[in-house]
Amino acid sequence: MTPVSAPRSTAWTARTINRRDTGYTGVPPWVFVLAGAGALFVLLPLAAMVAKVNWGQFVPLITSESSLTALGLSLRTSAASTLLCIALGVPLALVLARASFPGQRLLRAFVLLPLVLPPVVGGIALLYTFGRQGLLGRSLDFAGIQIAFSTTAVVLAQTFVALPFLVVSLEGALRTAGTKYEAVAATLGARPTTVLRRVSIPLVLPGLASGAVLSFARCLGEFGATLTFAGSLQGVTRTLPLEIYLQRETDADAAVALSLVLVAVAVAVVGLSYRRPRALAAEPAPTA
Amino acid sequence: MSISRERISALLAAGFLAAGLSGCATSTTANGNTPNGAARRGSSTAAGTVTVFAAASLKATFTKIASEFEAANPGTKVTLNFAGSSDLATQISQGAPADVFAAADTKNMAKLSDANLIDGTARNFATNVLEIAVPPANPASIRSFADLAKPGLKVVVCAPQVPCGSATEKVEQATGTTLKPVSEESSVTDVLGKVTSGEADAGLVYVTDVRNAGGKVKGITFSESDQAVNTYPIATVGSSRNKELAKAFIAMVTGSEGRKVLSDAGFGTP
């Protein structure tokens, strides 16, 4: 697996180096035509939505109490879910990229499963796990913890669907970074925890950052699992996508305006992340 | 041992695809089971395909009526599209090829008739009222609408923006009861789901939903439900290219055969 074949999302460093070394881009013209079609396919619907926005009412629509409450809830829960994704996803990525144990492939397959699972299915699965009648629900209920219909349920649903994004990004970054520096640190007497803290994590920080941002963006858009598992109540569980879905029933203008807000937030978040890793990648990179 | 990067990217892409907001429209075709001689009768006015856009709560009944229609009119095919009434109204106003529109409330039908997208006037063919749905064991021992306001109870209702939610609001106003729901769902199916899974102690759904859920929930009727009767209108879509067949289908729904199927499912007569 050479750095040339690495996808953009996981190997900034490799790509930057590669291009600096040879200056060869080698993209046939016809690929640009197809790429243009691909870009249009994504941009045209967004443009169509922007054209539908009732600009005269835009500000009142997006600053209504229910809209602001939903946006605030979405941002708060997505931030919490991203932290949870980092806490659970970094160890998973490390174990998948560095360790070797029986059942590793199976573990990877299961960790990645939420990527291809319809979110509604995720919601049903969570319901049967943390719900009142669920696998853990009874014990939790006994302990006085009720997750269903709470903001915690929203965070769990978001974490469930967003976790693979962080794991995939970080595992890719770890593999691209290789183990040379870690091995050197170990031969110099560093303990595994020190190697992890001082060498591995700093090396893959760009990958971790972009993984975290992808997770955040995925959390922001989470709909199916939340609706199935957490319900929909203003200020508690009704995130922006749920608010949009509901507004659409009565007020198409409001739904379009809110959709635009969600797109803007997502673009800002993703745009931010795609700048940062590039800046970091300008530092001496470990791969060659 | 290593998963290829290409595969990871592919998975990522697939994840993004699956993550999109997905509507809940389902499209089914009631396949014309060959009539065993007996059903071969009557109104064979036309042949071809009739596309029916019907409210999600009509799924069971309209699927049945459609196969009866196909049996009675050999050579015809009924294509059914079930979704929320407002979704369907939007789809039709955006030019979706529908011949018949059956809505769960008059408001969504009015949206289309006001825009001159309906042929003639709509006919009301069924009514539906609310009922309390509780888990079969009724753990919170609910007996009346007023019981739903008991503190600590997990009650799930429809949001006021959707027909079942506005009906709930009407009943609340009529009875002077204020509910404190733990969730306001955007469809009656989601309310029912919260009750069948045991998450909620009670939910407000339609009589027909309770009937359709079989033994999974227990229904508790309440007299105040007559304060909010939901009327179902049906009409031929103006842009229909098969109006004869559309009218024949509507005649079947509003006729004695349709009425029997509907009343068996718990719908009332308007």
Side-chain angles (χ1 to χ4, degrees), chain A residues 115 132 148 168 227 232 248-249, chain B residues 8 15 86-87 183-184 199:
Chain A
L115 276 184
R132 218 156 44 156
V168 166
L227 191 70
S232 172
R248 207 182 44 122
E249 293 283 342
Chain B
I8 292 175
S86 63
D87 278 342
S183 182
E184 293 175 343
E199 287 309 304

Side-chain angles (χ1 to χ4, degrees), chain A residues 4 29 32 34 51 108 142 144 180 182 197 201 210 216 225 234 248:
Chain A
V4 181
F32 279 99
L34 291 180
R108 180 184 291 109
F142 196 67
K180 267 191 287 180
E182 293 167 10
R197 198 165 47 86
I201 297 292
S210 67
F216 184 84
Q234 189 180 336
R248 207 182 44 122

Side-chain angles (χ1 to χ4, degrees), chain A:
Chain A
M1 194 173 291
T2 61
V4 181
S5 69
R8 270 186 289 171
S9 57
T10 53
W12 308 99
T13 50
R15 198 179 55 130
T16 316
I17 300 249
N18 188 41
R19 199 191 279 166
R20 204 191 293 148
D21 280 351
T22 66
Y24 173 74
T25 58
V27 180
W30 58 268
V31 173
F32 279 99
V33 176
L34 291 180
L40 261 185
F41 183 66
V42 177
L43 289 176
L44 210 57
L46 287 180
M49 200 174 73
V50 172
K52 263 277 180 198
V53 172
N54 180 350
W55 291 107
Q57 287 294 309
F58 185 70
V59 174
L61 283 176
I62 64 164
T63 52
S64 73
E65 193 219 337
S66 62
S67 306
L68 289 179
T69 309
L71 179 62
L73 182 70
S74 266
L75 292 174
R76 281 203 314 277
T77 51
S78 299
S81 306
T82 306
L83 290 179
L84 199 57
C85 279
I86 292 172
L88 301 172
V90 172
L92 269 173
L94 279 167
V95 163
L96 289 174
R98 290 286 186 265
S100 171
F101 54 90
Q104 194 174 15
R105 274 168 180 235
L106 208 64
L107 177 65
R108 180 184 291 109
F110 277 112
V111 168
L112 297 188
L113 200 58
L115 276 184
V116 289
L117 220 55
V120 180
V121 177
I124 293 172
L126 286 169
L127 198 60
Y128 289 132
T129 313
F130 297 103
R132 218 156 44 156
Q133 314 288 324
L135 205 62
L136 303 176
R138 283 166 211 264
S139 334
L140 287 170
D141 209 20
F142 196 67
I145 304 169
Q146 293 200 340
I147 290 176
F149 305 120
S150 70
T151 309
T152 313
V154 178
V155 172
L156 287 180
Q158 289 175 346
T159 307
F160 183 81
V161 297
L163 187 61
F165 286 80
L166 191 123
V167 175
V168 166
S169 303
L170 190 57
E171 192 193 347
L174 280 165
R175 289 187 183 281
T176 310
T179 56
K180 267 191 287 180
Y181 287 78
E182 293 167 10
V184 170
T187 55
L188 292 174
R191 290 173 171 281
T193 305
T194 313
V195 175
L196 179 66
R197 198 165 47 86
R198 303 284 299 273
V199 181
S200 311
I201 297 292
L203 268 181
V204 296
L205 217 50
L208 178 60
S210 67
V213 168
L214 268 180
S215 301
F216 184 84
R218 180 66 190 86
C219 290
L220 214 53
E222 214 309 297
F223 173 76
T226 309
L227 191 70
T228 319
F229 176 50
S232 172
L233 192 67
Q234 189 180 336
V236 182
T237 51
R238 189 176 294 154
T239 55
L240 201 50
L242 270 70
E243 175 72 19
I244 292 171
Y245 189 65
L246 187 61
Q247 286 290 349
R248 207 182 44 122
E249 293 283 342
T250 47
D251 191 348
D253 282 351
V256 173
L258 285 178
S259 304
L260 201 64
V261 171
L262 196 58
V263 170
V265 174
V267 166
V269 164
V270 173
L272 215 71
S273 79
Y274 274 50
R275 201 153 346 121
R276 272 198 65 198
R278 225 171 258 155
L280 289 168
E283 292 168 16
T287 50

Side-chain angles (χ1 to χ4, degrees), chain B residues 106-198:
Chain B
T106 45
K107 204 171 70 186
N108 280 300
M109 184 60 86
K111 273 191 216 166
L112 292 190
S113 54
D114 289 351
N116 287 322
L117 294 169
I118 287 302
D119 214 31
T121 46
R123 288 179 64 182
N124 296 334
F125 68 96
T127 60
N128 214 348
V129 291
L130 292 177
E131 189 170 290
I132 302 166
V134 296
N138 195 0
S141 32
I142 288 152
R143 279 179 192 85
S144 66
F145 189 80
D147 280 352
L148 296 179
K150 282 197 287 194
L153 209 65
K154 287 198 192 311
V155 180
V156 179
V157 300
C158 286
Q161 286 90 335
V162 293
C164 56
S166 65
T168 304
E169 254 186 351
K170 272 186 218 156
V171 174
E172 278 186 77
Q173 279 160 12
T175 57
T177 314
T178 311
L179 302 182
K180 286 243 176 354
V182 290
S183 182
E184 293 175 343
E185 306 285 341
S186 46
S187 86
V188 74
T189 329
D190 288 324
V191 176
L192 199 67
K194 300 288 190 296
V195 179
T196 49
S197 66

Side-chain angles (χ1 to χ4, degrees), chain B residues 34-104:
Chain B
T34 38
N36 299 335
R40 237 176 239 286
R41 73 194 124 74
S43 56
S44 55
T45 40
T49 300
V50 60
T51 304
V52 178
F53 279 28
S57 48
L58 294 168
K59 189 165 183 177
T61 47
F62 267 46
T63 306
K64 200 163 175 211
I65 293 174
S67 34
E68 282 183 17
F69 184 79
E70 286 173 350
N73 302 278
T76 60
K77 191 166 164 290
V78 182
T79 305
L80 296 164
N81 177 24
F82 297 108
S85 300
S86 63
D87 278 342
L88 295 173
T90 309
Q91 286 170 15
I92 292 172
S93 62
Q94 298 286 332
D99 298 308
V100 174
F101 178 42

